[in-house]
């Protein structure tokens, strides 16, 4: 029979709690706050491990030609877990903020050239979500991977070659039925609804006696631009142009499915899909929030000093928050949403196909 499990042996606490070696101690100038600094980073890395575990499992669920409804629901639960961990990671920065800048400076000089920049797990999370290598900012004019150990470069290269969560979700959206179903052609019906809506708004502007000719002209030109914006998504040729010029990333087919999901999310067969898309937007948003809050901590600690990894510090980090997003196209679907009243009604057969097949 197995001997009864003990709390500390199960969690290997002796090893875990022996992993905090202060660089300031080693240099004979013990700095009180360095323990907090080390433990904070270690706690982050443990949570990164769980995030990667969840993301890899979701990627496995999506890496199939056919994804059953149950798998989509499990994936959504795991993505939600990722968002909860991210919220915790943002909150956790507050503990580190209790360290006053001079107390950080007491041990900063011993850290060079170590930096969070070298966190392999952080880079893997970005890559597995779908951040493209060419999208990454240069780091002191060099590609980021040239600044991490060779063994890590190989791991990152392999990760980049595998399908990311972004690419699998894109393929999954491209396969979605319902967009053209029997008589119903979603793009055609939606385009008609947009034309009607803009036509009504044009009439309202023309009939508005409080507007002089110049103001009317400005508003009519604005409506013209709205028509062009909708056209850039609804027309596959214009969408292709957006892809070619790097203004969009997601394929036309996938973007149209995403639009339909966002518009008709209350339909049971679309709801789990909606949950996935909405969680991916949340993950991107929380990642951006973390990047900003980390950049603010860095600003507060260092002002304009460079980082221990040699970057411009705060300035570099703010730029990553703006440029290292993955699911921007999903976020921008909101540009194309209409109020419920303006939406084309779905035909009864399609509503039946999208519904539960039993009465509640
Ligand atoms: C006193 C607190 C902190 C300071 C002053 C600081 C400073 C910096 C600086 C200046 C950079 C830019 C690279 C460089 O030049 O070194 C950086 C990057 C980074 N730091 Fe921190 N950091 C702090 C806390 C943390 C914590 C708690 C984490 C959690 C893991 C972390 C994770 C990262 C990551 C992942 C990067 C790379 C970001 C990217 O390149 O997109 N940092 N940090």
């Amino acid at each position: 029979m197995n001997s009864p499990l003990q709390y500390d042996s199960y969690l290997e606490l002796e090893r875990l709690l022996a992993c905090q070696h202060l660089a300031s101690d080693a240099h004979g100038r013990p700095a009180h706050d360095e323990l907090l600094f080390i433990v904070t980073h270690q706690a982050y890395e443990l949570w990164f491990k769980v995030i990667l575990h969840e993301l890899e499992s979701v990627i496995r669920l999506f890496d199939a030609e056919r994804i059953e409804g149950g798998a989509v629901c499990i994936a959504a639960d795991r993505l939600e877990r990722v968002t909860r961990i991210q919220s915790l990671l943002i909150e956790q920065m507050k503990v580190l903020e209790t360290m006053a800048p001079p107390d950080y400076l007491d041990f900063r000089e011993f850290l060079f050239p170590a930096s969070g920049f070298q966190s392999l797990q952080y880079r893997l999370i970005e890559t597995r979500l779908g951040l493209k290598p060419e999208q990454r900012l240069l780091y002191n004019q060099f590609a980021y991977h040239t600044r991490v150990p060779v063994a890590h470069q190989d791991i990152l290269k392999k990760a980049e070659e595998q399908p990311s969560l972004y690419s699998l979700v894109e393929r999954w959206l491209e396969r979605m039925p319902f967009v053209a179903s029997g008589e119903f052609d979603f793009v055609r019906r939606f385009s008609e609804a947009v034309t009607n809506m803009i036509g009504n708004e044009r009439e309202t502007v023309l009939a508005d006696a409080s507007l002089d000719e110049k103001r009317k002209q400005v508003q009519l030109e604005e409506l013209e631009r709205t028509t062009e914006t909708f056209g850039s998504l609804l027309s596959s040729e214009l969408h292709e142009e957006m892809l070619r010029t790097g203004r969009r990333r997601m394929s036309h087919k996938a973007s149209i499915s995403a639009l339909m999901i966002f518009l008709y999310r209350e339909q049971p067969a679309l709801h789990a899909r909606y949950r996935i898309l909405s969680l991916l937007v949340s993950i991107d948003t929380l990642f951006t929030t973390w990047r900003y809050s980390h950049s603010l901590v860095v600003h507060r600690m260092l002002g304009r000093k460079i980082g221990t990894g040699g970057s411009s510090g705060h300035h570099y980090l703010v730029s990553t928050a703006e440029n290292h997003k993955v699911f921007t196209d999903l976020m921008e679907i909101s540009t194309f949403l209409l109020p419920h009243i303006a939406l084309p009604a779905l035909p009864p057969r399609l509503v039946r196909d999208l519904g539960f097949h039993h009465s509640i």
Side-chain angles (χ1 to χ4, degrees), residues 2-3 105 119 150 179 181 256 260 332 357:
N2 290 341
S3 56
L105 295 182
S119 167
V150 177
V179 175
S181 148
I256 294 294
M260 187 172 177
E332 293 195 352
H357 296 283

Side-chain angles (χ1 to χ4, degrees), residues 41 44 96 99 115-117 122-123 139 294 298 307 309-311 316:
H41 281 81
Y44 267 100
L96 203 55
M99 178 168 73
S115 163
F117 184 84
Y122 183 83
R123 296 296 174 219
Y139 186 75
H294 169 253
V298 170
S311 81
Y316 160 76

